[in-house]
Amino acid sequence: MASWTTPSNVIDAWIGEGVPDDTAQVQVWIDMAEREIRFRVPDIQGRIDAETLFDPAVTDLIDTARDVVVAMVTRVFRNP
């Protein structure tokens, strides 16, 4: 299954001190967040694929999914 988010997305969005430097650990949490989203929104991957199939420049859904994953992972690292 394709991943929507990379550790650099989380690190680049970080504000302030304490930015995580273990990209492998960040990836573990990204994978968990994306699985949770897929569980809660089972058709999301199909919707993302359909959106980019018709117009690769339109990326609202995948960008939004990525934003949600970044927020979820950031929350974990700020308040473990």
Side-chain angles (χ1 to χ4, degrees), residues 38-76:
R38 285 186 182 98
F39 175 76
R40 303 270 179 199
V41 187
D43 66 337
I44 193 165
Q45 189 63 56
R47 291 168 53 196
I48 287 171
D49 294 343
E51 181 179 85
T52 56
L53 176 68
F54 294 114
D55 187 355
V58 177
T59 58
D60 288 344
L61 185 56
I62 196 166
D63 287 345
T64 301
R66 187 177 300 116
D67 292 345
V68 171
V69 171
V70 167
M72 291 169 74
V73 173
T74 299
R75 194 171 320 130
V76 168

